Amino acid sequence: MTIRHTNFRRATPNPAPAASTWRARGACRDDPDAMFPDGNKEGIAAAKEVCGPCPVRRQCLRDAIETRDTQWGIRAGLTPQERNAVVKEVARRRAKTEAVV
């Protein structure tokens, strides 16, 4: 872990740790198979519930967007279809921003 120094008395951990580090802190780390509920509504709801209070939910979503993981399981509290919509929206916004520049 790298340490970044701040104006505070204590050093704080780097806010963007390596992927393996953030995954190790995920709420799903003890039962990752639960994040692949095979399409049943109860399983999907249970997996989303695990993601709700997860401390690395943003990193998980960022990774899913960057890797275009839109096929399997629940990530960052989103189904593959929901992640696909997010990926498309991010791409649309990037294209719009690039067109303005």
Side-chain angles (χ1 to χ4, degrees):
M1 171 181 358
T2 59
I3 302 292
R4 99 181 137 89
H5 295 280
T6 66
N7 293 334
F8 300 103
R9 291 180 180 237
R10 296 178 9 196
T12 58
N14 184 344
S20 60
T21 303
W22 70 257
R23 283 190 173 101
R25 295 181 308 145
C28 62
R29 70 185 169 276
D30 295 329
D31 189 11
D33 291 337
M35 306 314 288
F36 298 90
D38 295 329
N40 72 56
K41 290 183 180 187
E42 294 82 19
I44 291 171
K48 285 184 167 198
E49 198 170 305
V50 169
C51 294
C54 184
V56 296
R57 188 172 177 176
R58 285 183 170 215
Q59 290 98 329
C60 185
L61 179 57
R62 186 177 305 122
D63 183 68
I65 291 169
E66 289 173 0
T67 61
R68 295 190 178 268
D69 178 4
T70 59
Q71 289 186 320
W72 312 109
I74 304 299
R75 293 204 49 197
L78 301 174
T79 64
Q81 296 82 8
E82 293 166 336
R83 289 195 310 277
N84 190 42
V86 170
V87 166
K88 286 181 180 180
E89 178 64 16
V90 168
R92 186 189 70 75
R93 288 182 184 188
R94 284 181 181 160
K96 185 178 179 180
T97 301
E98 291 171 1
V100 171
V101 175

